[in-house]
Amino acid sequence: MPDVTTEASHPLHVPLPGRPAPVRRAPAPARPAPAPAPVPALRLPPERLRTGILAGAGAVALLWGLQARPSARLDALFASGAHLTGLLAGYGVLVLLLLMARVPAVEHGVGADRLARWHALGGRYVLGLIGAHTLLALCGHAVHTRTDVVTATEDLLGYGAIAAATAGTALLVAVGLSSARAVRRRIRHETWRAVHLGALLAAALGFVHQLAGPDLAGSLLTRWLWSMAHGTVAVLLLWYRLVVPVRAALRHDLRVVEVRDEGPGVVSVLVRGRGVARLRAEPGQFFRWRFLRRGLWATALPFSLSAPVRDDTLRITVKALGDHTRRIRRLRPGVRVLATGPFGALTAHRRTRRKVLLLAGGVGITPLRALFETLPGGPGDVTLLYRASDAGGLVLREELESIAGERRAALHYLLGPSDGSFDPLAPRALRDLVPDLAAHDVYLCGPPAMARTATANLIRAGVPASRIHSEDFDHA
């Protein structure tokens, strides 16, 4: 018989009034079988991608070293430093574009949130390298011509390639400023996205500048390799961010078939099309959804699947948290949908242990609900802990209890305010609920603050960080 409880049942928990602690339910009737498991996708592990990026940076530094001419002259030292930082900045821009090209092997292996964090961190390095390159070049030219920095600046801007690089730098600075947390909270997502498109023009202007520089102009082979690297990234961007989505839209003809209320402010949207199984979507993954109706068509919204793919139907479950998510409640059957994906690495391939703990908070239950149904395992192998402020915040509750009954899995609701005196996610509380916690893989999805606290507590409770699998879809 499954262990299905309405509140956490352990010595530290004070049950909420009016709710019995344990509730036993008979297994529900069997639901229709999900679609066959998709063919495993090609995945590039994050360690290999990181190694490849560092190896590429080393190759760029080697290229600089082979062409450098040792000199003790001050202007030559400035110039040499400017060449190295310029080459590394150009390479860094290519890496940033590659990370956001949505290449499936990279997305499925590394994860969209980790890619976004690497992209943000890499952007800071690139802007730093561009600043160093600019300063070193100005100082080198001023020393060489025996002029001041202002005169040297005016002189250098007379060169077309340098003027192009200056315009590209201005665009990259605008992108960086728009990504600062304080700024991004104050601008519309569409504005932020439009500013980021400027990075493509910045990369093109930088490429023009690099081809005119002494590090590339002097060698036909070097110019060819540099051009091939830029061409490859450009093709990947064009293919995966434009061609593939358009082709998928024409092939699958996705449309809304139902919008179903799931609770206060929460709806499930069912989307059906042709040959949806060919999308190879896995439980735990997400798509970027563009609903072709007024107020929604301009923005691609990242939502994870809240159920396995069945009968050419995809399902997402959305909580109204902003203008766009509130408009989703007003969708009607027949609305055309463009879905790009699937993306994300919060899937069964991360599993390393027989026993699995799924830990959800709020609407973060959606990817974990799909995994709760589909992760292989016998009775007692899969446990779901669901954190919410009260019973009204539990999403898809009947489905979760039905799944727990069918597969004889443990399901616990951890109810109570986040600022209450009792913390159901404290290390001791977690160990009381899951005595062999350290032997589990943990899949975690919830609000950022809850996820950070839960991660720290899981580690304190003995779970290795390498076995805590999470994905912040806000960064997708």
Side-chain angles (χ1 to χ4, degrees):
M1 183 67 67
D3 180 9
V4 181
T5 65
T6 55
E7 291 105 22
S9 54
H10 55 83
L12 297 181
H13 180 73
V14 178
L16 297 178
R19 302 284 298 186
V23 174
R24 305 280 182 177
R25 297 179 182 267
R31 59 170 51 83
V39 178
L42 178 65
R43 308 179 198 274
L44 180 66
E47 297 78 13
R48 290 189 183 179
L49 179 59
R50 187 186 298 113
T51 300
I53 291 172
L54 294 176
V60 170
L62 179 62
L63 171 66
W64 166 82
L66 292 175
Q67 299 183 89
R69 296 180 180 179
S71 174
R73 289 171 46 191
L74 184 58
D75 60 342
L77 291 175
F78 278 131
S80 184
H83 295 160
L84 175 60
T85 52
L87 285 172
L88 288 174
Y91 170 74
V93 170
L94 280 184
V95 171
L96 295 181
L97 295 177
L98 176 63
L99 293 179
M100 293 293 103
R102 298 179 183 170
V103 179
V106 177
E107 288 271 353
H108 297 168
V110 180
D113 65 331
R114 183 179 292 171
L115 288 173
R117 291 195 298 269
W118 288 5
H119 180 82
L121 179 62
R124 299 186 187 100
Y125 282 120
V126 166
L127 288 176
L129 286 168
I130 290 175
H133 169 72
T134 302
L135 182 60
L136 290 168
L138 283 174
C139 291
H141 189 70
V143 171
H144 182 71
T145 58
R146 298 182 181 180
T147 59
D148 57 82
V149 174
V150 174
T151 304
T153 301
E154 294 174 349
D155 188 20
L156 288 175
L157 288 176
Y159 294 92
I162 293 178
T166 302
T169 298
L171 289 171
L172 289 177
V173 169
V175 170
L177 290 176
S178 70
S179 297
R181 191 170 301 175
V183 176
R184 187 170 181 181
R185 283 198 297 260
R186 290 172 170 80
I187 62 176
R188 292 174 56 84
H189 180 79
E190 292 83 359
T191 303
W192 177 85
R193 184 70 64 185
V195 172
H196 267 64
L197 289 177
L200 300 176
L201 179 57
L205 293 171
F207 179 61
V208 170
H209 170 68
Q210 293 152 15
L211 287 183
D215 295 291
L216 300 181
S219 169
L220 181 61
L221 176 61
T222 302
R223 287 167 62 90
W224 182 83
L225 290 174
W226 201 254
S227 299
M228 285 296 296
H230 281 74
T232 299
V233 172
V235 168
L236 290 174
L237 280 167
L238 182 65
W239 182 257
Y240 287 112
R241 301 210 55 154
L242 182 61
V243 175
V244 168
V246 170
R247 185 181 64 177
L250 296 174
R251 172 184 292 175
H252 301 296
D253 189 25
L254 297 175
R255 297 179 184 272
V256 173
V257 294
E258 184 182 355
V259 179
R260 180 187 304 159
D261 282 324
E262 300 288 2
V266 180
V267 296
S268 286
V269 181
L270 278 69
V271 176
R272 185 172 297 149
R274 299 188 303 263
V276 170
R278 285 183 288 180
L279 291 170
R280 299 168 66 183
E282 301 177 52
Q285 291 188 315
F286 70 98
F287 286 76
R288 291 180 173 89
W289 306 85
R290 196 181 297 270
F291 299 95
L292 302 187
R293 57 147 288 177
R294 197 172 78 173
L296 288 172
W297 68 268
T299 303
L301 303 168
F303 296 121
S304 54
L305 298 176
S306 61
V309 178
R310 291 189 182 90
D311 301 324
D312 279 339
T313 301
L314 304 167
R315 192 186 77 174
I316 58 174
T317 302
V318 181
K319 184 173 183 179
L321 298 173
D323 291 342
H324 291 95
T325 48
R326 279 192 289 268
R327 292 187 185 111
I328 287 176
R329 295 180 59 88
R330 298 193 290 271
L331 288 173
R332 293 292 179 265
V335 171
R336 187 77 179 266
V337 183
L338 303 183
T340 307
F343 301 113
L346 194 70
T347 59
H349 88 278
R350 285 192 172 183
R351 184 177 184 177
T352 63
R353 294 294 186 274
R354 180 175 64 86
K355 292 192 173 185
V356 176
L357 170 64
L358 306 175
L359 179 53
V363 78
I365 188 63
T366 53
L368 300 191
R369 179 258 177 251
L371 288 168
F372 191 44
E373 179 180 347
T374 58
L375 281 175
D381 287 344
V382 180
T383 300
L384 173 60
L385 305 183
Y386 190 179
R387 179 79 173 95
S389 58
D390 53 46
L394 298 173
V395 181
L396 306 174
R397 178 174 181 172
E398 291 185 4
E399 293 185 15
L400 295 173
E401 293 175 1
S402 175
I403 293 169
E406 289 176 11
R407 64 179 308 174
R408 303 180 67 186
L411 168 63
H412 299 279
Y413 300 136
L414 312 181
L415 305 180
S418 58
D419 57 353
S421 58
F422 169 71
D423 180 9
L425 297 180
R428 181 179 172 185
L430 291 172
R431 285 195 298 265
D432 286 341
L433 279 171
V434 189
D436 54 346
L437 178 61
H440 285 65
D441 269 308
V442 180
Y443 287 75
L444 170 63
C445 189
M450 173 264 182
R452 287 192 297 269
T453 299
T455 298
N457 288 343
L458 286 165
I459 293 173
R460 288 168 56 197
V463 181
S466 61
R467 285 199 264 117
I468 302 174
H469 315 300
S470 64
E471 197 158 28
D472 180 1
F473 296 94
D474 289 336
H475 291 92

